Amino acid sequence: MIAELARLARKKILVLAHVKELVEQNSEKYKSFGLKASIFSAGLKQKSLIHQVTFASVQSLSRNIDQLNEEYSLVIIDECHRVNGDDKSQYGKVISALKEHNASLKVLGLTATPYRLGMGWIYQHHYHGFARGNSDSPFKKCIFELPLRYMISNKYLTPPKQVDPAIKHYDFTSLTTDNFGRFSETEMNSLLDSQTRATKSIIDHVIEQSTSRKGVMIFAATVMHAKEIFSYLPQNETALVIGDTHQAERDAIIKNFKNKQIKYLINVSVLTTGFDAPHVDFIAILRPTESVSLYQQIVGRGLRLADDKKECLVMDFAGNQFDLFQPEVGAKKPSSDNEPVQVLCPGCGFANIFWGKTDEQGKVIEHFGRRCQGLLDNGEEEQQCDYRFKFKECDECGAENDIAARQCHQCHSIMADPDDKLRAALNLKNAMVLRCSGLSITTLADEKIKVTYFDEDGASCSEVYDFNNSKSVYVFNKQYAKRVSGVSSPINFKQASTVQQYAYQLKAPDFVIANQHKKYGWQVKEKLFDYEGSYRVADKS
């Protein structure tokens, strides 16, 4: 693909990678077509820019910006999920320098997984008509995607043979992750230290299953874990690569592994992208991950085509429970029993993929999507559908905003922080804050309903809605029309009997703030839905 782009281009092309192995690998593939190319990489001891196409290390070029003193028409970034969009980063410096000589410079990213923990999707819009990231995403648009299933079925990649190991797995379910889905190395070491017998048993099983395999890659959870794994494998057939492995030693290990002089290669988070050893036919996963993309990158190390290689054995001993072909949802998995579910937007009809839960028949009973990802074309530009499944209302204009918004997108008013509201209420003597664990509906006379909110300790407060009053109906629908479990579209409540019909499906707020009235007792002042602040919400399980 790079060769074809170079043929079409009128000016020079720069191909960037983050490690010298990728620079060398890409340049060799390009030259195999009988083409000439320059290499600019300190690690490869070459710093040339003379040919139309240059394969370069981004680190080396960013340290020699002054040499980028002519016009380039295109920059291609391999493994582009590493780009963060910061102008002061190494990629940012190179791109900025090139734009000084060509303001219309094109930047093309190539990656198997356009998503990374901590940043999310690296592009804003997809050519199939849906939104992924936002305006801060480093790439504006995904212009082409080739699904993994297509690549395998059309024999561009080796089929994976996923086998559930018939021995005890690691149990990482007790570990928590940070907001980006990352595990604590200290906590993993503590847990693994108590499961040394499991590690020995797992490695014995790996050795048993690999008798007819040519290359085995083992992905460990931590450095301490990797060293323990190393101790159980045949020493003359095994090597270990970690972040601190000296470059010369790493080069020698990788060379020996590619030449099949060693059979088992253990690594800790360093050989998940761009590593090309086509003979690898066994992937053993002994580490947890919250990222579908990272899981796909790991398995992908064994899917390259090679002579006499019919499939690649994949064994997951960490209980990650990912389907290799599962789409990246783009958000941290809320809990272990969640799965990707399809949710149609009532506004534009777009089929969203969110984390959610299904019943025994496969029907979606709950999902955790916030906003529709569909793109609408207004004739001038594509804009993301404004339908929100979860939202925070603006106190000034009533507009629906993202639950994390600090400023209203419609009237631009500063929105009160939910934590500030809770903190203020907790400091008042005549205020009550319910950590709401549920609600009940009681039908009263004359088309009135009473909604009662309960907290974990049995305390409660109520409010009444009159369905003969249009304003009361409007307020109820504003709060609950979109908050009905198990339905695909908002319910327009017009009668008290309809509310009673869906009483058990109404989603309760996370917090209810009430003020004490001298005559009428506790009066509901405010309800906080879809809360994601620092206070604990009720356990509604």
Side-chain angles (χ1 to χ4, degrees):
M1 187 162 58
I2 293 170
E4 176 64 8
L5 290 170
R7 187 185 69 80
L8 296 171
R10 297 179 180 179
K11 302 291 183 180
K12 281 190 167 185
I13 288 180
L14 188 62
V15 184
L16 296 177
H18 68 289
V19 291
K20 70 171 187 178
E21 289 83 5
L22 269 180
V23 175
E24 185 174 36
Q25 179 179 300
N26 289 340
S27 63
E28 287 179 353
K29 289 281 178 71
Y30 182 80
K31 291 175 182 177
S32 70
F33 291 104
L35 303 169
K36 294 182 179 180
S38 298
I39 292 177
F40 198 104
S41 169
L44 297 175
K45 297 181 172 55
Q46 296 182 60
K47 289 186 178 180
S48 171
L49 295 166
I50 61 172
H51 292 99
Q52 187 207 7
V53 178
T54 298
F55 293 86
S57 156
V58 66
Q59 294 93 335
S60 296
L61 263 187
S62 64
R63 290 193 293 264
N64 294 272
I65 289 294
D66 58 321
Q67 294 197 37
L68 296 175
N69 53 12
E70 57 185 311
E71 184 177 351
Y72 284 76
S73 58
L74 173 67
V75 174
I76 300 174
I77 302 175
D78 200 3
E79 303 295 349
C80 68
H81 56 274
R82 303 183 64 86
V83 178
N84 61 15
D86 182 1
D87 290 341
K88 296 181 180 179
S89 68
Q90 292 175 332
Y91 288 105
K93 289 178 180 178
V94 172
I95 292 170
S96 296
L98 292 174
K99 283 187 175 180
E100 290 181 7
H101 300 280
N102 180 11
S104 59
L105 176 78
K106 300 292 187 295
V107 180
L108 174 68
L110 306 175
T111 179
T113 51
Y115 175 89
R116 61 188 284 191
L117 287 174
M119 187 177 76
W121 294 99
I122 65 170
Y123 64 86
Q124 187 176 2
H125 294 164
H126 192 283
Y127 68 102
H128 278 160
F130 54 86
R132 284 299 199 196
N134 52 46
S135 58
D136 294 328
S137 301
F139 293 91
K140 181 67 176 176
K141 192 166 186 174
C142 171
I143 60 172
F144 185 73
E145 184 174 19
L146 197 57
L148 187 61
R149 195 183 298 275
Y150 176 91
M151 297 280 280
I152 292 170
S153 62
N154 286 274
K155 300 181 180 180
Y156 292 105
L157 291 175
T158 301
K161 180 183 179 183
Q162 293 178 278
V163 176
D164 189 21
I167 61 169
K168 183 179 179 181
H169 294 52
Y170 292 122
D171 183 6
F172 289 106
T173 56
S174 62
L175 298 182
T176 57
T177 59
D178 61 17
N179 291 333
F180 302 131
R182 296 173 299 204
F183 292 88
S184 162
E185 183 171 350
T186 302
E187 291 182 2
M188 283 196 293
N189 277 333
S190 178
L191 184 146
L192 290 164
D193 190 46
S194 65
Q195 299 190 38
T196 53
R197 291 180 63 183
T199 302
K200 179 66 167 63
S201 176
I202 287 170
I203 297 306
D204 286 345
H205 188 67
V206 168
I207 294 172
E208 178 186 335
Q209 294 295 314
S210 64
T211 53
S212 62
R213 300 286 163 174
K214 297 179 180 179
V216 182
M217 288 190 72
I218 301 173
F219 293 83
T222 68
V223 173
M224 187 176 81
H225 184 218
K227 291 178 179 178
E228 181 191 358
I229 292 169
F230 182 84
S231 69
Y232 300 139
L233 287 163
Q235 302 295 291
N236 62 329
E237 296 182 76
T238 307
L240 168 63
V241 176
I242 60 177
D244 292 338
T245 304
H246 191 274
Q247 189 62 55
E249 182 185 357
R250 180 185 300 192
D251 291 346
I253 289 172
I254 291 174
K255 182 179 179 180
N256 290 338
F257 181 69
K258 288 183 177 182
N259 290 334
K260 303 176 188 177
Q261 293 173 345
I262 55 176
K263 182 173 183 176
Y264 302 95
L265 181 59
I266 311 163
N267 85 99
V268 184
S269 302
V270 292
L271 300 178
T272 54
T273 62
F275 178 76
D276 187 16
H279 76 287
V280 172
D281 53 4
F282 187 176
I283 299 291
I285 305 171
L286 280 71
R287 55 157 293 176
T289 176
E290 287 284 291
S291 167
V292 179
S293 290
L294 180 56
Y295 186 82
Q296 292 170 337
Q297 287 277 18
I298 289 172
V299 175
R301 298 315 97 205
L303 302 187
R304 303 294 176 99
L305 299 176
D307 293 339
D308 301 323
K309 179 179 171 183
K310 293 181 173 56
E311 37 92 88
C312 176
L313 180 62
V314 179
M315 287 191 167
D316 183 356
F317 298 92
N320 289 298
Q321 298 181 329
F322 284 129
D323 178 346
L324 181 61
F325 305 104
Q326 179 176 300
E328 178 64 73
V329 177
K332 180 183 173 183
K333 193 175 185 179
S335 59
S336 60
D337 62 345
N338 288 173
E339 59 183 295
V341 297
Q342 181 174 286
V343 181
L344 296 178
C345 172
C348 71
F350 179 74
N352 295 275
I353 300 296
F354 298 132
W355 288 117
K357 298 180 181 179
T358 58
D359 60 18
E360 293 179 354
Q361 287 73 44
K363 181 182 177 182
V364 178
I365 56 177
E366 183 180 14
H367 73 82
F368 303 96
R370 292 187 184 183
R371 181 181 177 182
C372 175
Q373 297 172 338
L375 289 178
L376 305 177
D377 192 345
N378 62 10
E380 296 181 2
E381 61 177 350
E382 291 179 320
Q383 292 185 335
Q384 186 175 353
C385 175
D386 61 1
Y387 186 89
R388 298 181 188 275
F389 298 94
K390 291 187 175 184
F391 54 90
K392 180 169 65 175
E393 285 186 35
C394 173
D395 294 334
E396 297 296 324
C397 69
E400 296 178 0
N401 289 269
D402 185 79
I403 57 178
R406 291 290 177 261
Q407 186 176 30
C408 176
H409 72 91
Q410 184 163 296
C411 71
H412 307 296
S413 297
I414 301 300
M415 303 180 69
D417 189 305
D419 281 354
D420 292 341
K421 292 181 178 181
L422 291 172
R423 197 175 297 111
L426 289 168
N427 289 330
L428 294 175
K429 292 182 179 180
N430 64 338
M432 174 173 66
V433 175
L434 290 183
R435 184 178 281 113
C436 193
S437 60
L439 59 78
S440 67
I441 305 292
T442 305
T443 303
L444 307 177
D446 301 325
E447 279 294 296
K448 293 180 181 178
I449 62 166
K450 181 170 75 171
V451 186
T452 304
Y453 305 99
F454 304 93
D455 78 354
E456 299 168 310
D457 302 318
S460 66
C461 62
S462 305
E463 59 182 347
V464 175
Y465 290 91
D466 183 357
F467 275 73
N468 286 314
N469 184 308
S470 60
K471 184 176 180 181
S472 182
V473 173
Y474 171 81
V475 172
F476 185 85
N477 277 297
K478 186 72 174 174
Q479 295 176 345
Y480 289 104
K482 289 185 176 183
R483 296 186 170 110
V484 185
S485 299
V487 299
S488 58
S489 299
I491 304 296
N492 184 18
F493 294 100
K494 295 181 179 180
Q495 298 174 314
S497 58
T498 309
V499 179
Q500 190 67 63
Q501 179 184 344
Y502 289 94
Y504 295 103
Q505 293 170 256
L506 292 184
K507 297 179 183 178
D510 293 300
F511 291 95
V512 176
I513 300 173
N515 287 350
Q516 192 169 36
H517 191 278
K518 290 182 180 180
K519 184 177 180 181
Y520 301 108
W522 292 109
Q523 302 289 297
V524 174
K525 177 187 177 185
E526 188 162 13
K527 299 183 286 292
L528 301 181
F529 293 91
D530 306 320
Y531 175 80
E532 291 193 356
S534 58
Y535 288 91
R536 182 180 68 83
V537 298
D539 180 7
K540 300 174 183 177
S541 60

